[in-house]
Structures are given as structure tokens and as C-alpha cells.
Amino acid sequence: MTSTATGAEFAEYPTPRRDPFRLPDELRETSAPVSRVRLWDGSLVWLVTGYAQARSVLTDRRFSSDPRRPGFPMVARSYGAFRTGGELGFSQLDDPEHARQRRMLAGEFAASKGDAHRPVVQAVVDTCVDELLDSAQPADFVPAFSAPVPVMVLVRLLGVPYRDHAFFQSRTTVRFSRNSTAADLTQANHDMEDYLGRLVDLRLRDPGDDLFSRLVTEHVANGELSRAQAAAMGTLLLLTGHRSTTNIITLSVLTLLTHPSLRASLSTGDLTVEKVAEELLRFHTIGDAGLPRLATASVDIGGVSIRAGDGVVVSIVAANRDSRRFAAPDELDPTRDASRHLNFGAGVHHCLGQGLARLELHTVLETVVRRLPALRLAVDVGELSAQGDMSLHGLRSLPVRW
Ligand code: HEM
């Protein structure tokens, strides 16, 4: 990281990733776990890369997640779109309103729901394997498998018609692309809210046996949640619920293909999918842009005095490769205890869908090892590059044969 004595120069953040396995040099371990960086819009923020410091910020209520606050770090232009006045999803609200809305969904994502979701997830994964096996070789694993699995799971749980998936996937692409203009983002948000608003009306009239119908009949019908808030909640789930899962599935399957001993250990049962999945989640942390927060009070983090009004970005990617927490962090070691990684965040905003994401990853690993024993890369691994959009880590394409 560079900074002059006058403070005129700072490293730019984030920088694109090219290598699917290696972090950009700027995020590789530096001596300072908290440092000053410049965002794309020129603003200066604190970048937290140390594991302990990242956890401190994420679990401290004095750091706000509300992008409407002046000085909130716009890690991507897409955050600016929320200043246009639309209803925010609860991931961008602070308590108590965040907690009130999150509670309405808690039962749907409780650990006890895992057993109910398992057959749905297994059926979706099996369908995608069947279709892959029926297709021509080589095939691109991303559109053939990693993308449809989480989308099909999500639409079934939410009760969103699958025929509309191209619509909301295209809006999600705009939402996560760093090249989208403010106008694109405003339009994409508007389209999603409009679509979900109409779904609220439909489910009020004609409820089904799905998450969104239960939300609407239990909380919109009695006025606890407005139509716009329910639409924002649906938008949040559709936006957050598939792209990250697609990317972790792609990166995890790539890792199986490049680490034959890992695959063999899963196949013989020497390692469990649960154990391997946690290390894959640590190693391939998805949130490249980091988690943005605004300090609402003066707080000391890692010996740095952060003042009220300062923007902070927590790099969970760097924190999960901090050698003070994980020995030899750049090595994939499925025997380590990776369970306290930060891929799903921490504190009150920790990922609500992490149980579902884990279930999907476990099912994919087990099914790929069992049903696709000859799956292999159709190109040299050196030809693969990370998607490099500085928002979510992943691969655009994974050509395979089987
Ligand atoms: C591997 C896949 C996934 C990863 C890596 C991931 C990661 C994250 C992270 C890091 C956060 C915290 C954001 C913050 O603190 O600002 C988060 C929040 C959230 N995630 Fe996930 N997520 C994944 C899958 C899912 C799925 C499948 C769903 C739902 C179907 C979901 C729903 C949510 C929701 C609703 C929040 C907001 C929670 C809150 O603010 O209280 N996520 N996720």
C-alpha cells in the first residue's frame, strides 16, 4: 500500500482478481490490519484486512450498514442507486428495524428447515447432472450447472415462477456489475421492485405453500410489513440468494478438478463434505468488494482511531487469509478448522441463507464426486481467469468434459 507523507496518494480499492486461487497483491497480507485506501469515487476509507479487526467491526453496533448516511462508503456504484429513495432491503437497515424484518424470515431459514430443503436441493442437483450428461462435450459448467442450481432452488422455495428467472438474473447482473451506470441500476431496482410488488398482490389473492406466500399472508395482510417493504425483502433474497452460491459452486468444483487427492478423499470418505466445504468457503471467499460500514461513533480498531462519520470497508477476502488466524492461509488445507471463516459475514447481518448455501454446496460436492467421477477440465487451468469484476469472486466460464 502506498501513501505519501502528505497523504495525497493511497492505494485504490478494490482491484480486479485474475487468478482464481490467488488474492490480488494489495490484499495479500500486509503488516497493517487497518489502512487507508481510495475508492473508485475518490473517497478515502479505512480498509480492514486483519481477521480479528474484521470480526470486531462486523460485531460492533456502532458501525452502520445504512447507505443513506452521509459518508457511507460506496464500494460499488450500485450502492449509490439506493440513494434514489426506493425501499431498502433489511441488509441495509440498522437495528431495530433490521432485526424486526429479519425475524419475519428467521423461521424460513432455521437450521431445522435443512431437512425440509434437502430433497428439493438434491432433486435440482440431480436434474442438472442429468442434463449435463445428456449434453454435448465439452460443456461450460457455469451455465450448465452452477448457475441453474441455486436459481432453481431459490424459485422453488420462494414461490417465484421459474419462467421469470431470465428476467431477474439479468437485473441481478446489472446490480452486481461495476460497469453499470446509475441509470441502469435505478432501472434494475425499479424493475425488481415492480415485479416483486405484483407478486405480493398475487400471493395476497392466491397464496401457495412457499416462503413469499407465508411472508405476505402473515405480515403484509396485518400491516406489519408494507407492500413496498415486502417487495424489497423479495428483491433482497433474489439478489443475494443465487450469484454467490453459483460462484462458490464453480470455484469448489474447479478445486476438485485441480486437486485429485481432495476428490479421492471425498470419494473414500476419508474427508466429509462438511469439512471440505468449510475450507473451500474460507479459501474462496466470494465478497471481493468487501462489506461496507459507516462509523457512527469514534472507535479504536487495531490501534487505529476511526472517527464518527468515517467509512470502513471490511475485506472478508483478506481476513480469511490472515495468518494470525489461519496458519499457511494461502494453502488449501481441508483438515484445518476453518469453521470461523468470514465468507458469510459476522454479527447481526451475518448471512441469513448460509444454511441453505451450505446445503447446496454439500449436495453438489457429494453428487459430483459420486455421479461425475470422470469430470475434468477441458482447457488448461492457466487459461481460466477469475471474472475480475471486483464485486463477487467467481469464474465466467469453466469448460469441462466427463
Ligand atoms: C455461498 C453463498 C453465499 C455467500 C458467500 C453469502 C454471503 C453473505 C454475506 C457476507 C452477508 C453479510 C453482508 C453484510 O454483513 O453486509 C450476507 C447476508 C445475507 N445473505 Fe448471504 N451469502 C450466500 C448465500 C445466500 C443465500 C442462498 C441466501 C438466501 C436465499 C442469502 C441471503 C442473505 C441475506 C437475506 C442477507 C442479509 C442478512 C442481514 O442483513 O441480516 N445468502 N450473505
Side-chain angles (χ1 to χ4, degrees):
M1 306 255 164
T2 51
S3 75
T4 63
T6 59
E9 272 179 33
F10 291 91
E12 293 196 359
Y13 175 87
T15 48
R17 267 209 238 200
R18 297 283 169 233
D19 188 318
F21 293 99
R22 207 182 124 94
L23 300 194
D25 285 342
E26 293 79 0
L27 286 185
R28 291 170 64 77
E29 208 161 356
T30 60
S31 50
V34 181
S35 58
R36 218 58 172 139
V37 291
R38 190 181 295 283
L39 296 183
W40 62 276
D41 60 2
S43 60
L44 291 179
V45 298
W46 295 107
L47 180 68
V48 179
T49 52
Y51 177 91
Q53 294 74 18
R55 196 169 263 288
S56 294
V57 171
L58 295 176
T59 54
D60 188 328
R61 305 284 181 98
R62 291 172 294 177
F63 290 97
S64 166
S65 288
D66 188 338
R68 294 167 302 190
R69 286 179 184 262
F72 192 89
M74 299 291 156
V75 279
R77 199 176 270 116
S78 52
Y79 271 77
F82 294 106
R83 285 187 167 154
T84 56
E87 194 72 47
L88 291 179
F90 63 82
S91 67
Q92 295 182 305
L93 299 176
D94 295 327
D95 285 350
E97 182 58 17
H98 157 263
R100 186 184 82 88
Q101 292 194 24
R102 182 174 164 126
R103 263 197 304 276
M104 295 178 190
L105 288 179
E108 297 287 345
F109 290 97
S112 55
K113 279 276 178 178
D115 286 343
H117 294 155
R118 199 175 302 276
V120 175
V121 173
Q122 187 67 61
V124 164
V125 171
D126 278 330
T127 302
C128 291
V129 171
D130 292 343
E131 286 178 5
L132 181 72
L133 289 173
D134 280 346
S135 63
Q137 302 196 41
D140 186 346
F141 196 77
V142 177
F145 188 93
S146 321
V149 164
V151 171
M152 286 166 75
V153 169
L154 201 57
V155 296
R156 287 197 196 183
L157 296 185
L158 255 61
V160 175
Y162 182 66
R163 62 173 182 275
D164 296 338
H165 74 100
F167 161 79
F168 64 79
Q169 273 181 300
S170 70
R171 301 317 188 266
T172 311
T173 303
V174 173
R175 170 70 177 74
F176 282 117
S177 168
R178 299 185 65 84
N179 298 324
S180 299
T181 63
D184 294 339
L185 288 156
T186 306
Q187 186 62 48
N189 283 342
H190 174 80
D191 290 350
M192 288 291 282
E193 281 170 20
D194 182 53
Y195 174 80
L196 268 303
R198 281 184 281 116
L199 193 65
V200 172
D201 299 338
L202 176 70
R203 294 306 178 219
L204 277 171
R205 284 196 311 273
D206 183 18
D209 180 16
D210 57 71
L211 181 155
F212 209 61
S213 293
R214 286 187 287 276
L215 181 75
V216 163
T217 51
E218 286 169 28
H219 302 290
V220 177
N222 66 7
E224 277 175 8
L225 202 61
S226 71
R227 179 182 184 271
Q229 286 171 324
M233 225 186 246
T235 303
L236 171 67
L237 291 173
L238 282 178
L239 286 178
T240 54
H242 69 280
R243 188 60 64 89
S244 308
T245 318
T246 292
N247 292 4
I248 193 70
I249 290 173
T250 308
L251 291 163
S252 299
V253 170
L254 166 66
T255 309
L256 285 188
L257 304 187
T258 53
H259 293 67
S261 61
L262 180 64
R263 194 162 161 182
S265 304
L266 282 172
S267 162
T268 55
D270 288 344
L271 285 172
T272 62
V273 286
E274 290 80 5
K275 183 90 180 154
V276 170
E278 286 317 293
E279 174 64 350
L280 288 167
L281 283 160
R282 178 197 72 84
F283 189 80
H284 291 302
T285 302
I286 302 296
D288 264 355
L291 307 182
R293 299 289 190 266
L294 187 93
T296 62
S298 295
V299 189
D300 187 276
I301 298 285
V304 171
S305 179
I306 295 177
R307 286 168 311 164
D310 282 356
V312 177
V313 177
V314 178
S315 172
I316 50 176
V317 166
N320 276 345
R321 300 274 190 115
D322 181 346
S323 65
R324 289 160 287 215
R325 177 64 185 82
F326 301 105
D330 293 328
E331 280 170 30
L332 184 89
D333 174 5
T335 63
R336 78 165 88 233
D337 177 9
S339 59
R340 292 202 23 104
H341 65 74
L342 294 172
N343 202 348
F344 293 118
V348 292
H349 287 283
H350 72 269
C351 178
L352 183 65
Q354 62 183 285
L356 180 61
R358 281 196 172 93
L359 175 62
E360 292 183 46
L361 183 56
H362 298 165
T363 309
V364 166
L365 291 174
E366 188 279 324
T367 310
V368 165
V369 167
R370 177 168 49 83
R371 292 197 58 200
L372 297 168
L375 191 71
R376 58 196 182 280
L377 279 176
V379 294
D380 190 79
V381 66
E383 290 177 41
L384 299 172
S385 84
Q387 64 190 24
D389 69 359
M390 301 186 288
S391 176
L392 295 179
H393 179 37
L395 296 181
R396 276 190 213 294
S397 151
L398 181 64
V400 291
R401 293 183 178 277
W402 50 90

Coordinates of all heavy atoms in Angstrom, one line a residue, residues 253-328:
V253 N -15.9 -26.7 -7.5 CA -15.8 -27.9 -8.4 C -14.5 -27.7 -9.2 O -13.7 -28.7 -9.4 CB -17.0 -27.9 -9.4 CG1 -16.8 -28.9 -10.5 CG2 -18.3 -28.3 -8.6
L254 N -14.1 -26.5 -9.5 CA -12.7 -26.3 -10.1 C -11.7 -26.9 -9.2 O -10.7 -27.6 -9.6 CB -12.5 -24.8 -10.4 CG -11.0 -24.4 -10.7 CD1 -10.6 -25.0 -12.0 CD2 -10.8 -22.9 -10.7
T255 N -11.8 -26.6 -7.9 CA -10.8 -27.1 -7.0 C -10.7 -28.6 -6.9 O -9.7 -29.2 -6.8 CB -11.1 -26.5 -5.6 OG1 -11.2 -25.0 -5.8 CG2 -9.9 -26.7 -4.6
L256 N -11.9 -29.2 -7.0 CA -11.9 -30.7 -7.0 C -11.2 -31.2 -8.2 O -10.4 -32.2 -8.2 CB -13.4 -31.2 -7.1 CG -14.3 -31.2 -5.9 CD1 -15.6 -32.0 -6.2 CD2 -13.6 -31.8 -4.7
L257 N -11.3 -30.5 -9.4 CA -10.7 -30.9 -10.6 C -9.2 -30.7 -10.6 O -8.5 -31.4 -11.3 CB -11.3 -30.2 -11.8 CG -12.8 -30.4 -12.0 CD1 -13.3 -29.8 -13.3 CD2 -13.3 -31.8 -11.9
T258 N -8.7 -29.7 -9.8 CA -7.3 -29.4 -9.8 C -6.6 -30.1 -8.6 O -5.4 -30.0 -8.5 CB -7.0 -27.9 -9.8 OG1 -7.8 -27.4 -8.7 CG2 -7.5 -27.3 -11.1
H259 N -7.4 -30.7 -7.7 CA -6.8 -31.3 -6.5 C -7.3 -32.8 -6.4 O -8.2 -33.1 -5.7 CB -7.2 -30.6 -5.2 CG -6.6 -29.2 -5.1 ND1 -6.9 -28.2 -6.0 CD2 -5.6 -28.7 -4.3 CE1 -6.2 -27.1 -5.7 NE2 -5.5 -27.4 -4.6
P260 N -6.7 -33.7 -7.2 CA -7.3 -35.1 -7.3 C -7.3 -35.8 -5.9 O -8.2 -36.6 -5.7 CB -6.3 -35.8 -8.3 CG -5.5 -34.7 -8.9 CD -5.6 -33.5 -8.1
S261 N -6.3 -35.4 -5.1 CA -6.3 -36.1 -3.8 C -7.5 -35.7 -2.9 O -8.0 -36.5 -2.1 CB -5.0 -35.8 -3.0 OG -4.9 -34.5 -2.8
L262 N -7.9 -34.5 -3.1 CA -9.1 -34.0 -2.4 C -10.3 -34.8 -2.8 O -11.1 -35.2 -2.0 CB -9.3 -32.5 -2.6 CG -10.4 -31.8 -2.0 CD1 -10.3 -31.8 -0.5 CD2 -10.6 -30.3 -2.5
R263 N -10.4 -34.9 -4.1 CA -11.6 -35.6 -4.7 C -11.5 -37.1 -4.2 O -12.6 -37.7 -3.8 CB -11.4 -35.6 -6.2 CG -12.6 -36.0 -6.9 CD -12.4 -35.4 -8.3 NE -13.2 -36.0 -9.3 CZ -13.1 -35.6 -10.6 NH1 -12.2 -34.7 -11.0 NH2 -13.9 -36.2 -11.5
A264 N -10.3 -37.7 -4.2 CA -10.2 -39.1 -3.7 C -10.6 -39.2 -2.3 O -11.3 -40.2 -1.9 CB -8.8 -39.6 -4.0
S265 N -10.2 -38.3 -1.4 CA -10.6 -38.4 0.0 C -12.1 -38.2 0.2 O -12.6 -38.8 1.1 CB -9.9 -37.2 0.8 OG -8.5 -37.3 0.6
L266 N -12.7 -37.5 -0.6 CA -14.2 -37.4 -0.5 C -14.8 -38.7 -1.0 O -15.8 -39.1 -0.4 CB -14.7 -36.2 -1.4 CG -14.5 -34.8 -0.8 CD1 -14.9 -33.8 -1.8 CD2 -15.4 -34.6 0.5
S267 N -14.3 -39.2 -2.0 CA -14.8 -40.4 -2.6 C -14.7 -41.6 -1.6 O -15.6 -42.4 -1.5 CB -14.2 -40.7 -3.9 OG -14.3 -41.9 -4.4
T268 N -13.6 -41.7 -0.9 CA -13.4 -42.8 0.0 C -14.0 -42.6 1.4 O -14.1 -43.4 2.2 CB -11.9 -43.0 0.3 OG1 -11.3 -41.8 0.7 CG2 -11.1 -43.5 -1.0
G269 N -14.4 -41.3 1.6 CA -15.0 -41.0 2.9 C -13.9 -40.6 3.9 O -14.3 -40.4 5.1
D270 N -12.7 -40.4 3.5 CA -11.6 -40.0 4.5 C -11.9 -38.6 4.9 O -11.5 -38.2 6.0 CB -10.2 -40.1 3.8 CG -9.8 -41.5 3.6 OD1 -10.4 -42.4 4.3 OD2 -8.9 -41.8 2.9
L271 N -12.5 -37.8 4.0 CA -12.9 -36.4 4.4 C -14.4 -36.3 4.2 O -14.9 -36.8 3.2 CB -12.2 -35.4 3.6 CG -10.7 -35.1 3.9 CD1 -10.1 -34.2 2.8 CD2 -10.5 -34.5 5.3
T272 N -15.1 -35.5 5.1 CA -16.5 -35.3 4.9 C -16.7 -34.1 4.0 O -15.9 -33.2 4.0 CB -17.2 -35.1 6.2 OG1 -16.7 -33.9 6.8 CG2 -17.0 -36.3 7.1
V273 N -17.9 -34.1 3.3 CA -18.2 -32.9 2.5 C -18.3 -31.6 3.4 O -17.9 -30.5 3.0 CB -19.5 -33.0 1.7 CG1 -19.2 -33.9 0.5 CG2 -20.7 -33.4 2.5
E274 N -18.8 -31.8 4.6 CA -19.0 -30.7 5.6 C -17.6 -30.0 5.9 O -17.5 -28.8 5.8 CB -19.6 -31.1 6.9 CG -21.1 -31.5 6.8 CD -21.3 -33.0 6.2 OE1 -20.3 -33.7 6.0 OE2 -22.5 -33.3 6.0
K275 N -16.6 -30.9 6.1 CA -15.3 -30.4 6.5 C -14.6 -29.7 5.3 O -14.1 -28.6 5.4 CB -14.5 -31.6 6.9 CG -13.1 -31.3 7.4 CD -13.1 -31.1 8.9 CE -11.6 -30.8 9.3 NZ -11.6 -30.0 10.5
V276 N -14.7 -30.4 4.1 CA -14.1 -29.8 2.9 C -14.8 -28.5 2.5 O -14.1 -27.5 2.2 CB -14.2 -30.8 1.8 CG1 -13.8 -30.2 0.5 CG2 -13.3 -32.0 2.1
A277 N -16.1 -28.5 2.7 CA -16.9 -27.3 2.3 C -16.4 -26.0 3.1 O -16.3 -24.9 2.5 CB -18.4 -27.5 2.4
E278 N -16.2 -26.2 4.4 CA -15.8 -25.1 5.2 C -14.5 -24.5 4.7 O -14.3 -23.3 4.7 CB -15.7 -25.4 6.7 CG -17.0 -25.6 7.4 CD -18.1 -24.5 7.0 OE1 -17.9 -23.4 7.3 OE2 -19.1 -24.9 6.3
E279 N -13.5 -25.4 4.4 CA -12.2 -24.8 3.9 C -12.3 -24.2 2.5 O -11.7 -23.2 2.2 CB -11.2 -26.0 3.9 CG -9.8 -25.6 3.3 CD -9.0 -24.5 4.1 OE1 -9.6 -23.9 5.0 OE2 -7.8 -24.3 3.7
L280 N -13.2 -24.8 1.7 CA -13.4 -24.2 0.4 C -14.1 -22.8 0.6 O -13.7 -21.8 -0.1 CB -14.3 -25.1 -0.5 CG -13.7 -26.3 -1.0 CD1 -14.7 -27.3 -1.6 CD2 -12.6 -26.0 -2.1
L281 N -15.0 -22.7 1.5 CA -15.6 -21.4 1.8 C -14.6 -20.4 2.3 O -14.6 -19.2 1.9 CB -16.8 -21.5 2.8 CG -18.1 -22.2 2.2 CD1 -19.0 -22.7 3.3 CD2 -18.8 -21.1 1.4
R282 N -13.7 -20.8 3.2 CA -12.7 -19.9 3.6 C -11.8 -19.4 2.5 O -11.5 -18.3 2.3 CB -11.8 -20.5 4.7 CG -10.7 -19.6 5.2 CD -9.6 -20.3 6.0 NE -8.8 -21.2 5.1 CZ -7.7 -20.7 4.5 NH1 -7.3 -19.5 4.5 NH2 -7.0 -21.6 3.7
F283 N -11.3 -20.5 1.8 CA -10.3 -20.2 0.7 C -10.8 -19.4 -0.4 O -10.2 -18.5 -0.9 CB -9.8 -21.6 0.2 CG -8.6 -21.5 -0.7 CD1 -7.3 -21.3 -0.2 CD2 -8.7 -21.5 -2.1 CE1 -6.2 -21.2 -1.0 CE2 -7.6 -21.4 -2.9 CZ -6.4 -21.3 -2.4
H284 N -12.0 -19.7 -0.8 CA -12.6 -19.0 -2.0 C -13.7 -18.0 -1.5 O -14.9 -18.1 -1.7 CB -13.3 -19.9 -2.9 CG -12.4 -20.8 -3.7 ND1 -11.4 -20.4 -4.5 CD2 -12.3 -22.2 -3.7 CE1 -10.8 -21.4 -5.0 NE2 -11.3 -22.5 -4.6
T285 N -13.3 -17.0 -0.7 CA -14.2 -16.0 -0.2 C -14.8 -15.2 -1.4 O -14.0 -14.7 -2.2 CB -13.6 -15.2 0.9 OG1 -13.1 -16.1 1.9 CG2 -14.6 -14.2 1.5
I286 N -16.1 -15.0 -1.4 CA -16.7 -14.5 -2.6 C -16.8 -13.0 -2.6 O -16.7 -12.4 -3.7 CB -18.2 -15.1 -2.7 CG1 -18.2 -16.6 -2.7 CG2 -18.9 -14.5 -3.9 CD1 -17.5 -17.2 -3.9
G287 N -17.0 -12.4 -1.5 CA -17.3 -10.9 -1.4 C -16.1 -10.0 -1.7 O -15.5 -9.4 -0.8
D288 N -15.7 -10.0 -3.0 CA -14.5 -9.2 -3.4 C -14.6 -7.7 -3.0 O -13.5 -7.1 -2.8 CB -14.3 -9.3 -4.9 CG -13.3 -10.5 -5.2 OD1 -12.7 -11.0 -4.3 OD2 -13.1 -10.7 -6.4
A289 N -15.7 -7.1 -3.1 CA -15.8 -5.7 -2.8 C -15.7 -5.4 -1.4 O -15.4 -4.3 -1.0 CB -17.2 -5.2 -3.3
G290 N -15.9 -6.4 -0.5 CA -15.9 -6.2 0.9 C -17.2 -5.7 1.5 O -18.1 -5.4 0.7
L291 N -17.3 -5.7 2.8 CA -18.6 -5.3 3.5 C -18.4 -3.8 4.0 O -17.6 -3.5 4.8 CB -18.9 -6.2 4.6 CG -18.9 -7.7 4.3 CD1 -19.2 -8.6 5.5 CD2 -19.8 -8.0 3.1
P292 N -19.2 -2.9 3.4 CA -19.1 -1.5 3.8 C -19.9 -1.2 5.1 O -20.9 -1.7 5.3 CB -19.8 -0.8 2.6 CG -20.8 -1.8 2.0 CD -20.3 -3.2 2.4
R293 N -19.3 -0.3 5.8 CA -19.9 0.2 7.1 C -19.6 1.7 7.3 O -18.6 2.2 6.7 CB -19.4 -0.6 8.3 CG -19.7 -2.1 8.3 CD -21.2 -2.4 8.5 NE -21.4 -3.8 8.7 CZ -21.8 -4.7 7.8 NH1 -21.9 -4.3 6.5 NH2 -22.1 -5.9 8.1
L294 N -20.4 2.4 8.1 CA -20.0 3.7 8.5 C -19.9 3.8 10.0 O -20.9 3.4 10.7 CB -21.1 4.7 8.0 CG -20.7 6.1 8.2 CD1 -20.1 6.7 7.0 CD2 -21.9 7.0 8.6
A295 N -18.8 4.4 10.5 CA -18.7 4.5 12.0 C -19.7 5.6 12.5 O -19.7 6.7 11.9 CB -17.3 4.9 12.3
T296 N -20.5 5.3 13.5 CA -21.4 6.3 14.0 C -20.9 6.9 15.3 O -21.5 7.7 15.9 CB -22.8 5.7 14.3 OG1 -22.6 4.6 15.3 CG2 -23.4 5.1 13.0
A297 N -19.7 6.4 15.7 CA -19.0 6.9 16.9 C -17.5 6.7 16.7 O -17.1 6.0 15.8 CB -19.5 6.1 18.2
S298 N -16.7 7.3 17.6 CA -15.3 7.1 17.4 C -14.9 5.8 18.1 O -15.4 5.5 19.2 CB -14.5 8.2 18.1 OG -14.8 9.4 17.4
V299 N -14.2 5.0 17.3 CA -13.9 3.6 17.8 C -12.5 3.3 17.4 O -12.0 3.7 16.4 CB -14.8 2.6 17.0 CG1 -14.6 1.2 17.6 CG2 -16.2 3.0 16.9
D300 N -11.8 2.6 18.4 CA -10.4 2.2 18.1 C -10.4 0.8 17.6 O -10.9 -0.1 18.3 CB -9.6 2.3 19.5 CG -8.2 2.1 19.2 OD1 -7.8 0.9 19.2 OD2 -7.4 3.1 19.1
I301 N -9.9 0.6 16.4 CA -9.8 -0.8 15.8 C -8.4 -1.0 15.4 O -7.8 -0.3 14.6 CB -10.7 -0.9 14.6 CG1 -12.2 -0.7 14.9 CG2 -10.5 -2.3 13.9 CD1 -12.9 -1.8 15.7
G302 N -7.8 -2.0 16.0 CA -6.4 -2.4 15.7 C -5.4 -1.3 15.9 O -4.5 -1.1 15.1
G303 N -5.6 -0.5 16.9 CA -4.7 0.6 17.2 C -5.0 1.9 16.3 O -4.3 2.9 16.4
V304 N -6.0 1.8 15.4 CA -6.3 2.9 14.6 C -7.5 3.6 15.1 O -8.5 2.9 15.4 CB -6.5 2.5 13.1 CG1 -7.1 3.6 12.3 CG2 -5.2 1.9 12.5
S305 N -7.5 4.9 15.2 CA -8.6 5.7 15.7 C -9.6 6.0 14.6 O -9.2 6.9 13.8 CB -8.1 6.9 16.5 OG -9.2 7.6 16.9
I306 N -10.7 5.4 14.5 CA -11.7 5.6 13.5 C -12.7 6.6 14.0 O -13.2 6.4 15.1 CB -12.3 4.3 13.0 CG1 -11.3 3.4 12.4 CG2 -13.5 4.5 12.1 CD1 -11.7 2.0 12.0
R307 N -12.9 7.7 13.3 CA -13.8 8.7 13.9 C -15.3 8.6 13.4 O -15.5 8.0 12.3 CB -13.3 10.1 13.5 CG -12.1 10.5 14.2 CD -11.5 11.7 13.6 NE -11.3 11.5 12.2 CZ -11.1 12.5 11.3 NH1 -11.0 13.7 11.6 NH2 -11.0 12.2 10.0
A308 N -16.2 9.1 14.1 CA -17.6 9.1 13.7 C -17.7 9.7 12.3 O -17.1 10.8 12.1 CB -18.4 9.8 14.7
G309 N -18.4 9.0 11.4 CA -18.6 9.6 10.1 C -17.6 9.0 9.1 O -17.7 9.2 7.9
D310 N -16.6 8.2 9.6 CA -15.6 7.6 8.7 C -16.2 6.4 8.0 O -16.9 5.6 8.7 CB -14.3 7.2 9.4 CG -13.4 8.3 9.7 OD1 -13.7 9.5 9.3 OD2 -12.4 8.1 10.4
G311 N -15.9 6.2 6.7 CA -16.3 5.0 6.0 C -15.3 3.9 6.3 O -14.1 4.1 6.4
V312 N -15.8 2.7 6.4 CA -15.0 1.5 6.7 C -15.4 0.4 5.7 O -16.6 0.2 5.5 CB -15.2 1.0 8.1 CG1 -14.4 -0.3 8.4 CG2 -14.8 2.1 9.1
V313 N -14.4 -0.3 5.1 CA -14.7 -1.5 4.3 C -14.0 -2.7 4.9 O -12.8 -2.7 5.1 CB -14.3 -1.3 2.8 CG1 -14.6 -2.5 2.0 CG2 -15.0 0.0 2.2
V314 N -14.8 -3.7 5.2 CA -14.2 -4.9 5.8 C -13.9 -5.9 4.6 O -14.8 -6.4 4.0 CB -15.1 -5.6 6.8 CG1 -14.5 -6.8 7.3 CG2 -15.4 -4.6 7.9
S315 N -12.6 -6.2 4.4 CA -12.3 -7.2 3.4 C -12.3 -8.6 4.0 O -11.3 -9.0 4.6 CB -10.9 -6.9 2.7 OG -10.6 -8.0 1.9
I316 N -13.5 -9.2 3.8 CA -13.5 -10.6 4.4 C -12.6 -11.5 3.6 O -12.2 -12.6 4.1 CB -15.0 -11.1 4.4 CG1 -15.7 -10.9 3.1 CG2 -15.8 -10.5 5.5 CD1 -17.1 -11.5 3.0
V317 N -12.4 -11.2 2.3 CA -11.4 -11.9 1.5 C -10.1 -12.0 2.1 O -9.4 -13.0 2.3 CB -11.4 -11.3 0.1 CG1 -10.2 -11.8 -0.7 CG2 -12.7 -11.5 -0.7
A318 N -9.5 -10.8 2.5 CA -8.2 -10.7 3.1 C -8.2 -11.3 4.5 O -7.3 -12.0 4.9 CB -7.8 -9.2 3.2
A319 N -9.3 -11.0 5.3 CA -9.4 -11.5 6.6 C -9.3 -13.1 6.7 O -8.7 -13.6 7.6 CB -10.7 -11.0 7.3
N320 N -9.9 -13.7 5.7 CA -9.9 -15.2 5.7 C -8.6 -15.7 5.2 O -8.4 -17.0 5.3 CB -11.0 -15.7 4.8 CG -12.4 -15.8 5.5 OD1 -12.4 -15.7 6.7 ND2 -13.4 -15.9 4.7
R321 N -7.6 -14.9 4.8 CA -6.3 -15.3 4.5 C -5.3 -14.7 5.5 O -4.1 -14.4 5.1 CB -5.9 -14.9 3.1 CG -6.8 -15.5 2.0 CD -6.4 -16.9 1.6 NE -7.1 -17.3 0.4 CZ -6.6 -17.5 -0.8 NH1 -5.3 -17.3 -1.0 NH2 -7.4 -17.8 -1.8
D322 N -5.7 -14.4 6.7 CA -4.8 -13.7 7.7 C -4.1 -14.8 8.5 O -4.7 -15.7 9.1 CB -5.7 -12.9 8.7 CG -4.9 -12.2 9.7 OD1 -3.7 -12.5 9.9 OD2 -5.5 -11.3 10.4
S323 N -2.8 -14.8 8.4 CA -2.0 -15.9 9.0 C -2.1 -15.9 10.5 O -1.7 -16.8 11.2 CB -0.6 -15.9 8.5 OG 0.0 -14.7 9.0
R324 N -2.5 -14.7 11.1 CA -2.6 -14.6 12.5 C -3.8 -15.5 13.0 O -3.9 -15.8 14.1 CB -2.8 -13.2 13.0 CG -1.5 -12.4 12.9 CD -1.8 -10.9 12.8 NE -2.4 -10.5 11.5 CZ -2.2 -9.4 10.9 NH1 -1.4 -8.5 11.4 NH2 -2.8 -9.1 9.7
R325 N -4.7 -15.8 12.1 CA -5.9 -16.6 12.4 C -5.8 -18.0 11.8 O -6.2 -19.0 12.4 CB -7.2 -15.9 11.9 CG -8.5 -16.7 12.2 CD -8.7 -16.9 13.7 NE -9.9 -17.7 13.9 CZ -9.9 -19.0 13.9 NH1 -8.7 -19.7 13.6 NH2 -11.0 -19.7 14.1
F326 N -5.3 -18.1 10.5 CA -5.3 -19.4 9.8 C -3.8 -19.6 9.4 O -3.3 -18.8 8.5 CB -6.2 -19.4 8.6 CG -7.6 -19.1 8.9 CD1 -8.2 -17.9 8.6 CD2 -8.4 -20.1 9.4 CE1 -9.6 -17.6 8.9 CE2 -9.8 -19.9 9.7 CZ -10.4 -18.6 9.5
A327 N -3.2 -20.6 9.9 CA -1.8 -20.9 9.5 C -1.7 -21.2 8.0 O -2.6 -21.9 7.5 CB -1.3 -22.1 10.3
A328 N -0.6 -20.8 7.4 CA -0.4 -21.0 6.0 C -1.7 -20.7 5.2 O -2.2 -21.6 4.5 CB 0.1 -22.4 5.7

